[in-house]
Amino acid sequence: MRDPYKVLGVSRNASEEEIKKAYRDLARKYHPDNYQNNPLADLAQEKMKEINEAYDAITKGRAGGAGGSEYYDSGSAGGGFNSGGGYGGNSDFIRARQAIASGNLGLAESILNQHQDGSAEWHFLMGSLNYRRGRFEQAEYGYRRAVELDPGNMEYRQALQYMQSGGSFYRPVTRTGMDSIDPLRCCGNLMLADCCCECMGGDLISCC
Amino acid sequence: MFGFVRPDKAELKVRDYELYRAVYCGLCHSLKKRCGAAGRFIINYDFTFLAMLLSHAETGCSLCVKKCVVSPLKGRKACIATAPDGGSAILEACADMSVILAWWKLKDGMRDEAFFKAAACRIGAAFLRRGYKKAAAALPGFADNCRKRIEELELLERAGCSALDDVSDKFALILAGAAEAAGTENERRILSQLLYQLGKLIYMLDALCDYDDDLRAGRYNPLRTKYGSRPDRSALEPQLSHILGFITSAYELLDGGAFSPVLENIMYLGLPSVVSMTLEGRYTQKLRKRREPGL
């Protein structure tokens, strides 16, 4: 195993708070939610496992075996949207689902091509397959058709909603918003306003 | 085709900005070595990004002051290798790739543009011919893949293909080809996914940017059949957001290095603002072609 301190990117004499913060930041980054149906989900899962182990090793080592209770779940990465959801009875579709989840897209495609029954589940699985391939237009179409055909299915609706909302991905802390105020333009605007006021007989800036 | 991948300059630290400029300079010098003075005209920021991305894990780069036409007396700090003590292989590869893509862009212009512009493209291609031959000899795999994809793209365009996924896929596969140089298997997977999505993004932004011009000139545009004469730009927003998400989520799996601050700036600030500016119709040709590095 790699040096746990290096994995978390902290120095050996970092305080408990610093370690916790570094761990939380990394866990937020590699959380399965950011890699939903992503072709690289397995790598993110490995990273998650690595940082969980590193955090565990450090806290255990420090507290003499006590810590390490607070844990991020590295659970269902790589799966579809709701891998626990109602699987249809069709065994081929179950195989297709598994193939998509494990990244074997060629197999999934050939199964789905063989069973083009135009059902809601078929459209949903085509949507999932296309999403994983990064073919988002087709993915959206597949999810939409699935919802149209079976409006009551939560799994399909969730997938469509996720697609149309633009997804949820990790973003570092965003910048502070002063950038929209351009000092030069601000000055110019003030001068212009002053001129306008003077034209109308008033005055905004008395000294000019 | 180019001019979308830029950092948000105002948010860069000065030292990172200087690093970025140095890589840009270094790339320009590599281009000059490859195809003489003509190389200076095809230097762009997108390939500066690519050079940094392909050297993502390096802890620094070797700098040296070089003089050129732009700064003949004082010279500028140029990065001669994107590693603290290594060869300039990545810079040279990126220079070659940009020559190859520029060459095909000129070829494309020779065919599609109106008389005068086509003539200009012809002259440009004449200047670039020798450089292209050398670059294609240095990167036979990339050049071959590029030619094949562009032929496929042409076929689709001629057929008036309206499936955005299909046309953008061809262009995306060209960029994904740049990941071949990566070291480990995992790294190759990550980089080719990242570059594939970046290629899609560039293709779609390009189609959005050129929409009005293409419509006026009666040229092919992939959005045309779908959106008619007035595109609903916001309809593309969710797709673009997923593409950006796939790009950043792939990037986060790479090891960081000296270039991380610049790369992160481009990923999380530069690209999103270019996307939103394009969606609002504010990212014009003039902005794309400007020589200023930042937004």
Side-chain angles (χ1 to χ4, degrees):
Chain A
M1 199 173 109
R2 273 171 67 193
D3 175 11
Y5 289 92
K6 232 178 213 162
V7 172
L8 295 188
V10 291
S11 70
R12 281 191 174 277
N13 42 22
S15 72
E16 210 155 294
E17 276 306 304
E18 284 168 331
I19 291 168
K20 202 177 257 178
K21 189 178 174 299
Y23 168 69
R24 275 204 189 131
D25 286 348
L26 285 170
R28 202 166 71 82
K29 203 181 272 187
Y30 299 114
H31 195 276
D33 281 355
N34 302 333
Y35 290 85
Q36 284 185 57
N37 211 6
N38 190 306
L40 302 173
D42 56 319
L43 297 177
Q45 208 174 356
E46 271 170 37
K47 281 256 188 201
M48 195 74 187
K49 205 172 143 227
E50 195 183 26
I51 54 175
N52 272 338
E53 278 168 7
Y55 183 63
D56 218 25
I58 293 175
T59 42
K60 265 190 188 148
R62 288 196 172 188
S69 54
E70 190 194 0
Y71 227 54
Y72 274 85
D73 177 28
S74 65
S76 63
F81 287 92
N82 187 2
S83 19
Y87 278 25
N90 192 330
S91 66
D92 292 308
F93 284 162
I94 294 177
R95 276 204 304 139
R97 242 174 227 272
Q98 284 161 352
I100 294 172
S102 64
N104 192 346
L105 303 185
L107 176 67
E109 191 177 18
S110 71
I111 296 174
L112 289 172
N113 278 338
Q114 275 166 28
H115 298 88
Q116 295 190 22
D117 59 1
S119 64
E121 191 173 19
W122 183 81
H123 280 292
F124 169 75
L125 289 174
M126 280 308 279
S128 275
L129 176 66
N130 279 314
Y131 185 85
R132 208 168 232 250
R133 288 215 160 124
R135 299 169 60 90
F136 299 118
E137 200 177 35
Q138 287 297 312
E140 208 243 347
Y141 173 76
Y143 293 149
R144 202 155 24 111
R145 287 290 296 149
V147 170
E148 276 165 17
L149 291 167
D150 185 0
N153 188 311
M154 275 317 283
E155 186 185 20
Y156 305 164
R157 278 174 50 186
Q158 260 173 22
L160 182 65
Q161 209 272 328
Y162 182 77
M163 185 67 228
Q164 287 174 341
S165 69
S168 74
F169 297 98
Y170 166 80
R171 282 188 68 86
V173 186
T174 44
R175 63 170 149 181
T176 44
M178 283 296 285
D179 60 332
S180 57
I181 303 168
D182 181 356
L184 251 179
R185 186 173 293 172
C186 193
C187 243
N189 286 348
L190 265 178
M191 268 152 73
L192 206 70
D194 184 46
C195 286
C196 282
C197 281
E198 276 162 7
C199 281
M200 305 298 281
D203 199 6
L204 183 66
I205 307 165
S206 52
C207 58
C208 74
Chain B
M1 207 179 274
F2 311 115
F4 291 108
V5 189
R6 291 162 188 266
D8 187 337
K9 192 173 140 194
E11 295 288 324
L12 272 180
K13 281 193 176 134
V14 173
R15 62 159 183 256
D16 295 324
Y17 176 67
E18 278 174 359
L19 188 65
Y20 184 69
R21 283 303 299 253
V23 177
Y24 181 79
C25 267
L27 189 63
C28 191
H29 282 289
S30 299
L31 274 167
K32 204 174 143 214
K33 231 189 282 167
R34 192 51 100 199
C35 44
R40 247 202 350 272
F41 293 99
I42 58 172
I43 174 81
N44 63 63
Y45 293 103
D46 306 53
F47 282 92
T48 310
F49 163 77
L50 185 65
M52 294 178 116
L53 182 70
L54 293 179
S55 345
H56 59 93
E58 299 296 349
T59 48
C61 66
S62 351
L63 296 171
C64 112
V65 175
K66 285 204 169 196
K67 289 172 185 163
C68 69
V69 182
V70 181
S71 184
L73 298 175
K74 250 177 88 188
R76 278 198 176 151
K77 261 193 231 162
C79 161
I80 46 170
T82 51
D85 51 343
S88 51
I90 284 180
L91 271 181
E92 273 159 21
C94 286
D96 287 341
M97 287 184 229
S98 66
V99 173
I100 291 168
L101 273 177
W103 165 262
W104 284 110
K105 195 172 157 62
L106 287 172
K107 282 266 178 193
D108 193 51
M110 268 157 68
R111 209 188 53 244
D112 290 350
E113 295 285 357
F115 181 76
F116 286 109
K117 269 195 172 172
C121 288
R122 200 172 287 275
I123 294 168
F127 275 110
L128 221 57
R129 183 181 304 276
R130 269 185 54 215
Y132 172 75
K133 282 201 171 139
K134 280 191 217 161
L139 293 174
F142 184 83
D144 215 37
N145 181 43
C146 195
R147 185 181 50 77
K148 230 185 298 169
R149 301 299 171 201
I150 281 178
E151 278 167 7
E152 288 169 355
L153 191 60
E154 252 169 45
L155 280 180
L156 286 177
E157 288 185 354
R158 218 170 293 155
C161 178
S162 66
L164 207 47
D165 284 337
D166 290 332
V167 273
S168 59
D169 175 72
K170 301 294 172 227
F171 183 71
L173 285 171
I174 296 176
L175 273 201
E180 286 307 308
T184 64
E185 169 64 31
N186 277 352
E187 223 174 49
R188 225 183 344 260
R189 252 185 82 195
I190 297 167
L191 281 172
S192 72
Q193 167 73 3
L194 198 165
L195 290 169
Y196 177 82
Q197 296 295 345
L198 189 67
K200 287 200 116 173
L201 187 76
I202 291 175
Y203 189 86
M204 284 170 73
L205 292 179
D206 193 50
L208 269 170
C209 260
D210 294 347
Y211 194 85
D212 294 332
D213 288 343
D214 285 347
L215 211 63
R216 223 173 292 129
R219 275 191 302 252
Y220 167 82
N221 188 301
L223 302 173
R224 192 169 171 184
T225 30
K226 188 147 291 162
Y227 297 103
S229 57
R230 289 186 59 199
D232 177 16
R233 293 171 194 266
S234 60
L236 284 171
E237 202 178 340
Q239 270 194 62
L240 291 170
S241 159
H242 279 276
I243 294 180
L244 275 178
F246 267 37
I247 292 174
T248 52
S249 60
Y251 170 75
E252 289 301 343
L253 295 167
L254 291 170
D255 293 330
F259 298 117
S260 294
V262 186
L263 289 172
E264 263 160 41
N265 176 298
I266 293 175
M267 299 274 164
Y268 291 110
L269 299 171
L271 280 178
S273 21
V274 169
V275 168
S276 61
M277 278 168 90
T278 311
L279 282 170
E280 290 160 17
R282 286 192 292 130
Y283 203 66
T284 54
Q285 285 293 340
K286 215 174 114 195
L287 284 173
R288 280 173 71 178
K289 288 197 175 129
R290 99 208 110 150
R291 291 282 174 194
E292 261 295 288
L295 281 165

